[in-house]
PDB file of all heavy atoms in Angstrom:
ATOM      1  N   ARG A   1     163.600 151.580 136.888  1.00  0.00           N
ATOM      2  CA  ARG A   1     162.946 152.628 137.674  1.00  0.00           C
ATOM      3  C   ARG A   1     163.929 153.267 138.655  1.00  0.00           C
ATOM      4  O   ARG A   1     164.688 152.583 139.324  1.00  0.00           O
ATOM      5  CB  ARG A   1     161.769 152.047 138.446  1.00  0.00           C
ATOM      6  CG  ARG A   1     160.640 151.683 137.541  1.00  0.00           C
ATOM      7  CD  ARG A   1     159.448 151.256 138.325  1.00  0.00           C
ATOM      8  NE  ARG A   1     158.359 150.996 137.391  1.00  0.00           N
ATOM      9  CZ  ARG A   1     157.241 150.428 137.713  1.00  0.00           C
ATOM     10  NH1 ARG A   1     157.032 150.046 138.953  1.00  0.00           N
ATOM     11  NH2 ARG A   1     156.318 150.233 136.822  1.00  0.00           N
ATOM     12  N   ASN A   2     163.886 154.580 138.702  1.00  0.00           N
ATOM     13  CA  ASN A   2     164.730 155.309 139.642  1.00  0.00           C
ATOM     14  C   ASN A   2     163.933 156.349 140.431  1.00  0.00           C
ATOM     15  O   ASN A   2     164.501 157.251 141.023  1.00  0.00           O
ATOM     16  CB  ASN A   2     165.919 155.959 138.919  1.00  0.00           C
ATOM     17  CG  ASN A   2     165.499 156.986 137.888  1.00  0.00           C
ATOM     18  OD1 ASN A   2     164.322 157.204 137.658  1.00  0.00           O
ATOM     19  ND2 ASN A   2     166.468 157.615 137.263  1.00  0.00           N
ATOM     20  N   VAL A   3     162.606 156.214 140.415  1.00  0.00           N
ATOM     21  CA  VAL A   3     161.736 157.143 141.134  1.00  0.00           C
ATOM     22  C   VAL A   3     160.851 156.317 142.076  1.00  0.00           C
ATOM     23  O   VAL A   3     160.151 155.415 141.625  1.00  0.00           O
ATOM     24  CB  VAL A   3     160.857 157.956 140.154  1.00  0.00           C
ATOM     25  CG1 VAL A   3     159.939 158.891 140.890  1.00  0.00           C
ATOM     26  CG2 VAL A   3     161.731 158.734 139.182  1.00  0.00           C
ATOM     27  N   PRO A   4     160.883 156.611 143.382  1.00  0.00           N
ATOM     28  CA  PRO A   4     160.046 155.856 144.326  1.00  0.00           C
ATOM     29  C   PRO A   4     158.555 156.140 144.136  1.00  0.00           C
ATOM     30  O   PRO A   4     158.167 157.116 143.493  1.00  0.00           O
ATOM     31  CB  PRO A   4     160.529 156.331 145.700  1.00  0.00           C
ATOM     32  CG  PRO A   4     161.202 157.629 145.464  1.00  0.00           C
ATOM     33  CD  PRO A   4     161.708 157.609 144.059  1.00  0.00           C
ATOM     34  N   GLY A   5     157.737 155.283 144.707  1.00  0.00           N
ATOM     35  CA  GLY A   5     156.291 155.368 144.527  1.00  0.00           C
ATOM     36  C   GLY A   5     155.686 156.683 144.968  1.00  0.00           C
ATOM     37  O   GLY A   5     154.827 157.248 144.280  1.00  0.00           O
ATOM     38  N   TRP A   6     156.105 157.192 146.118  1.00  0.00           N
ATOM     39  CA  TRP A   6     155.524 158.449 146.603  1.00  0.00           C
ATOM     40  C   TRP A   6     155.868 159.600 145.654  1.00  0.00           C
ATOM     41  O   TRP A   6     155.055 160.489 145.430  1.00  0.00           O
ATOM     42  CB  TRP A   6     156.000 158.766 148.026  1.00  0.00           C
ATOM     43  CG  TRP A   6     157.464 159.055 148.137  1.00  0.00           C
ATOM     44  CD1 TRP A   6     158.455 158.169 148.403  1.00  0.00           C
ATOM     45  CD2 TRP A   6     158.103 160.326 147.961  1.00  0.00           C
ATOM     46  NE1 TRP A   6     159.680 158.803 148.401  1.00  0.00           N
ATOM     47  CE2 TRP A   6     159.484 160.134 148.147  1.00  0.00           C
ATOM     48  CE3 TRP A   6     157.638 161.606 147.670  1.00  0.00           C
ATOM     49  CZ2 TRP A   6     160.408 161.162 148.044  1.00  0.00           C
ATOM     50  CZ3 TRP A   6     158.565 162.641 147.575  1.00  0.00           C
ATOM     51  CH2 TRP A   6     159.931 162.407 147.769  1.00  0.00           C
ATOM     52  N   GLU A   7     157.061 159.557 145.069  1.00  0.00           N
ATOM     53  CA  GLU A   7     157.463 160.626 144.153  1.00  0.00           C
ATOM     54  C   GLU A   7     156.736 160.490 142.813  1.00  0.00           C
ATOM     55  O   GLU A   7     156.412 161.493 142.168  1.00  0.00           O
ATOM     56  CB  GLU A   7     158.972 160.598 143.933  1.00  0.00           C
ATOM     57  CG  GLU A   7     159.475 161.807 143.179  1.00  0.00           C
ATOM     58  CD  GLU A   7     160.983 161.856 143.091  1.00  0.00           C
ATOM     59  OE1 GLU A   7     161.675 161.273 143.951  1.00  0.00           O
ATOM     60  OE2 GLU A   7     161.478 162.475 142.137  1.00  0.00           O
ATOM     61  N   ARG A   8     156.445 159.266 142.402  1.00  0.00           N
ATOM     62  CA  ARG A   8     155.665 159.064 141.181  1.00  0.00           C
ATOM     63  C   ARG A   8     154.278 159.676 141.335  1.00  0.00           C
ATOM     64  O   ARG A   8     153.770 160.320 140.421  1.00  0.00           O
ATOM     65  CB  ARG A   8     155.554 157.576 140.873  1.00  0.00           C
ATOM     66  CG  ARG A   8     156.859 156.965 140.427  1.00  0.00           C
ATOM     67  CD  ARG A   8     156.726 155.489 140.213  1.00  0.00           C
ATOM     68  NE  ARG A   8     155.951 155.252 139.016  1.00  0.00           N
ATOM     69  CZ  ARG A   8     155.522 154.065 138.639  1.00  0.00           C
ATOM     70  NH1 ARG A   8     155.774 153.006 139.376  1.00  0.00           N
ATOM     71  NH2 ARG A   8     154.826 153.934 137.540  1.00  0.00           N
ATOM     72  N   GLY A   9     153.668 159.477 142.494  1.00  0.00           N
ATOM     73  CA  GLY A   9     152.359 160.078 142.751  1.00  0.00           C
ATOM     74  C   GLY A   9     152.411 161.586 142.752  1.00  0.00           C
ATOM     75  O   GLY A   9     151.514 162.255 142.217  1.00  0.00           O
ATOM     76  N   LEU A  10     153.455 162.131 143.355  1.00  0.00           N
ATOM     77  CA  LEU A  10     153.618 163.587 143.388  1.00  0.00           C
ATOM     78  C   LEU A  10     153.849 164.148 141.981  1.00  0.00           C
ATOM     79  O   LEU A  10     153.293 165.187 141.618  1.00  0.00           O
ATOM     80  CB  LEU A  10     154.777 163.956 144.311  1.00  0.00           C
ATOM     81  CG  LEU A  10     154.979 165.421 144.619  1.00  0.00           C
ATOM     82  CD1 LEU A  10     153.752 166.000 145.323  1.00  0.00           C
ATOM     83  CD2 LEU A  10     156.208 165.600 145.498  1.00  0.00           C
ATOM     84  N   ARG A  11     154.645 163.451 141.185  1.00  0.00           N
ATOM     85  CA  ARG A  11     154.880 163.888 139.805  1.00  0.00           C
ATOM     86  C   ARG A  11     153.582 163.861 138.996  1.00  0.00           C
ATOM     87  O   ARG A  11     153.313 164.766 138.210  1.00  0.00           O
ATOM     88  CB  ARG A  11     155.908 162.987 139.126  1.00  0.00           C
ATOM     89  CG  ARG A  11     157.322 163.235 139.554  1.00  0.00           C
ATOM     90  CD  ARG A  11     158.243 162.169 138.953  1.00  0.00           C
ATOM     91  NE  ARG A  11     159.608 162.376 139.371  1.00  0.00           N
ATOM     92  CZ  ARG A  11     160.520 163.014 138.651  1.00  0.00           C
ATOM     93  NH1 ARG A  11     160.208 163.463 137.457  1.00  0.00           N
ATOM     94  NH2 ARG A  11     161.735 163.194 139.106  1.00  0.00           N
ATOM     95  N   ALA A  12     152.790 162.808 139.177  1.00  0.00           N
ATOM     96  CA  ALA A  12     151.519 162.702 138.455  1.00  0.00           C
ATOM     97  C   ALA A  12     150.582 163.840 138.857  1.00  0.00           C
ATOM     98  O   ALA A  12     149.938 164.461 137.998  1.00  0.00           O
ATOM     99  CB  ALA A  12     150.867 161.349 138.715  1.00  0.00           C
ATOM    100  N   ALA A  13     150.503 164.125 140.153  1.00  0.00           N
ATOM    101  CA  ALA A  13     149.632 165.204 140.624  1.00  0.00           C
ATOM    102  C   ALA A  13     150.087 166.552 140.073  1.00  0.00           C
ATOM    103  O   ALA A  13     149.261 167.357 139.609  1.00  0.00           O
ATOM    104  CB  ALA A  13     149.612 165.228 142.153  1.00  0.00           C
ATOM    105  N   CYS A  14     151.389 166.816 140.077  1.00  0.00           N
ATOM    106  CA  CYS A  14     151.901 168.083 139.549  1.00  0.00           C
ATOM    107  C   CYS A  14     151.670 168.183 138.041  1.00  0.00           C
ATOM    108  O   CYS A  14     151.365 169.266 137.526  1.00  0.00           O
ATOM    109  CB  CYS A  14     153.384 168.222 139.862  1.00  0.00           C
ATOM    110  SG  CYS A  14     153.734 168.517 141.598  1.00  0.00           S
ATOM    111  N   GLY A  15     151.808 167.076 137.325  1.00  0.00           N
ATOM    112  CA  GLY A  15     151.554 167.074 135.889  1.00  0.00           C
ATOM    113  C   GLY A  15     150.108 167.403 135.574  1.00  0.00           C
ATOM    114  O   GLY A  15     149.812 168.178 134.666  1.00  0.00           O
ATOM    115  N   ILE A  16     149.187 166.818 136.356  1.00  0.00           N
ATOM    116  CA  ILE A  16     147.761 167.101 136.157  1.00  0.00           C
ATOM    117  C   ILE A  16     147.463 168.565 136.453  1.00  0.00           C
ATOM    118  O   ILE A  16     146.722 169.221 135.724  1.00  0.00           O
ATOM    119  CB  ILE A  16     146.906 166.157 137.015  1.00  0.00           C
ATOM    120  CG1 ILE A  16     147.010 164.729 136.464  1.00  0.00           C
ATOM    121  CG2 ILE A  16     145.461 166.607 137.067  1.00  0.00           C
ATOM    122  CD1 ILE A  16     146.427 163.669 137.364  1.00  0.00           C
ATOM    123  N   VAL A  17     148.066 169.090 137.516  1.00  0.00           N
ATOM    124  CA  VAL A  17     147.858 170.503 137.867  1.00  0.00           C
ATOM    125  C   VAL A  17     148.348 171.405 136.729  1.00  0.00           C
ATOM    126  O   VAL A  17     147.677 172.366 136.365  1.00  0.00           O
ATOM    127  CB  VAL A  17     148.561 170.848 139.198  1.00  0.00           C
ATOM    128  CG1 VAL A  17     148.648 172.343 139.404  1.00  0.00           C
ATOM    129  CG2 VAL A  17     147.838 170.195 140.357  1.00  0.00           C
ATOM    130  N   LEU A  18     149.502 171.094 136.161  1.00  0.00           N
ATOM    131  CA  LEU A  18     150.005 171.919 135.055  1.00  0.00           C
ATOM    132  C   LEU A  18     149.083 171.872 133.844  1.00  0.00           C
ATOM    133  O   LEU A  18     148.858 172.896 133.180  1.00  0.00           O
ATOM    134  CB  LEU A  18     151.410 171.467 134.657  1.00  0.00           C
ATOM    135  CG  LEU A  18     152.536 171.921 135.571  1.00  0.00           C
ATOM    136  CD1 LEU A  18     153.864 171.315 135.117  1.00  0.00           C
ATOM    137  CD2 LEU A  18     152.638 173.425 135.607  1.00  0.00           C
ATOM    138  N   LEU A  19     148.534 170.707 133.545  1.00  0.00           N
ATOM    139  CA  LEU A  19     147.612 170.618 132.404  1.00  0.00           C
ATOM    140  C   LEU A  19     146.316 171.378 132.669  1.00  0.00           C
ATOM    141  O   LEU A  19     145.771 172.022 131.762  1.00  0.00           O
ATOM    142  CB  LEU A  19     147.316 169.151 132.085  1.00  0.00           C
ATOM    143  CG  LEU A  19     148.506 168.345 131.559  1.00  0.00           C
ATOM    144  CD1 LEU A  19     148.109 166.900 131.333  1.00  0.00           C
ATOM    145  CD2 LEU A  19     149.068 168.956 130.295  1.00  0.00           C
ATOM    146  N   VAL A  20     145.830 171.341 133.907  1.00  0.00           N
ATOM    147  CA  VAL A  20     144.627 172.105 134.258  1.00  0.00           C
ATOM    148  C   VAL A  20     144.915 173.602 134.178  1.00  0.00           C
ATOM    149  O   VAL A  20     144.092 174.375 133.672  1.00  0.00           O
ATOM    150  CB  VAL A  20     144.127 171.696 135.658  1.00  0.00           C
ATOM    151  CG1 VAL A  20     143.068 172.653 136.164  1.00  0.00           C
ATOM    152  CG2 VAL A  20     143.593 170.271 135.631  1.00  0.00           C
ATOM    153  N   VAL A  21     146.085 174.018 134.645  1.00  0.00           N
ATOM    154  CA  VAL A  21     146.459 175.434 134.578  1.00  0.00           C
ATOM    155  C   VAL A  21     146.537 175.883 133.115  1.00  0.00           C
ATOM    156  O   VAL A  21     146.073 176.972 132.770  1.00  0.00           O
ATOM    157  CB  VAL A  21     147.802 175.675 135.300  1.00  0.00           C
ATOM    158  CG1 VAL A  21     148.415 177.011 134.930  1.00  0.00           C
ATOM    159  CG2 VAL A  21     147.608 175.585 136.803  1.00  0.00           C
ATOM    160  N   ALA A  22     147.103 175.038 132.257  1.00  0.00           N
ATOM    161  CA  ALA A  22     147.202 175.391 130.837  1.00  0.00           C
ATOM    162  C   ALA A  22     145.821 175.547 130.212  1.00  0.00           C
ATOM    163  O   ALA A  22     145.626 176.390 129.333  1.00  0.00           O
ATOM    164  CB  ALA A  22     148.002 174.334 130.086  1.00  0.00           C
ATOM    165  N   ALA A  23     144.864 174.742 130.666  1.00  0.00           N
ATOM    166  CA  ALA A  23     143.515 174.830 130.111  1.00  0.00           C
ATOM    167  C   ALA A  23     142.731 176.003 130.703  1.00  0.00           C
ATOM    168  O   ALA A  23     141.877 176.578 130.028  1.00  0.00           O
ATOM    169  CB  ALA A  23     142.758 173.527 130.371  1.00  0.00           C
ATOM    170  N   ALA A  24     143.025 176.362 131.949  1.00  0.00           N
ATOM    171  CA  ALA A  24     142.222 177.369 132.639  1.00  0.00           C
ATOM    172  C   ALA A  24     142.708 178.803 132.406  1.00  0.00           C
ATOM    173  O   ALA A  24     141.886 179.724 132.339  1.00  0.00           O
ATOM    174  CB  ALA A  24     142.203 177.081 134.140  1.00  0.00           C
ATOM    175  N   LEU A  25     144.004 178.998 132.308  1.00  0.00           N
ATOM    176  CA  LEU A  25     144.529 180.357 132.160  1.00  0.00           C
ATOM    177  C   LEU A  25     144.606 180.754 130.690  1.00  0.00           C
ATOM    178  O   LEU A  25     144.905 179.920 129.833  1.00  0.00           O
ATOM    179  CB  LEU A  25     145.912 180.460 132.788  1.00  0.00           C
ATOM    180  CG  LEU A  25     145.970 180.333 134.305  1.00  0.00           C
ATOM    181  CD1 LEU A  25     147.406 180.478 134.781  1.00  0.00           C
ATOM    182  CD2 LEU A  25     145.102 181.367 134.981  1.00  0.00           C
ATOM    183  N   PRO A  26     144.364 182.016 130.410  1.00  0.00           N
ATOM    184  CA  PRO A  26     144.416 182.470 129.014  1.00  0.00           C
ATOM    185  C   PRO A  26     145.861 182.710 128.554  1.00  0.00           C
ATOM    186  O   PRO A  26     146.334 183.841 128.519  1.00  0.00           O
ATOM    187  CB  PRO A  26     143.618 183.771 129.039  1.00  0.00           C
ATOM    188  CG  PRO A  26     143.789 184.281 130.434  1.00  0.00           C
ATOM    189  CD  PRO A  26     143.899 183.064 131.304  1.00  0.00           C
ATOM    190  N   MET A  27     146.550 181.626 128.231  1.00  0.00           N
ATOM    191  CA  MET A  27     147.927 181.735 127.739  1.00  0.00           C
ATOM    192  C   MET A  27     147.941 181.434 126.249  1.00  0.00           C
ATOM    193  O   MET A  27     147.132 180.656 125.755  1.00  0.00           O
ATOM    194  CB  MET A  27     148.828 180.727 128.447  1.00  0.00           C
ATOM    195  CG  MET A  27     149.082 181.017 129.894  1.00  0.00           C
ATOM    196  SD  MET A  27     150.307 179.919 130.584  1.00  0.00           S
ATOM    197  CE  MET A  27     149.366 178.427 130.763  1.00  0.00           C
TER     198      MET A  27
END
């Protein structure tokens, strides 16, 4: 592991946001 816990949480949140954006926007 080379990513601290707080950054793992931030990465997970950003990943979820990107998946929601992909589902919500007409791309």
Side-chain angles (χ1 to χ4, degrees):
R1 289 186 177 170
N2 62 357
V3 179
W6 66 268
E7 189 174 335
R8 290 177 72 188
L10 188 61
R11 284 173 181 263
C14 289
I16 291 169
V17 166
L18 282 176
L19 293 178
V20 168
V21 164
L25 292 181
M27 291 187 284

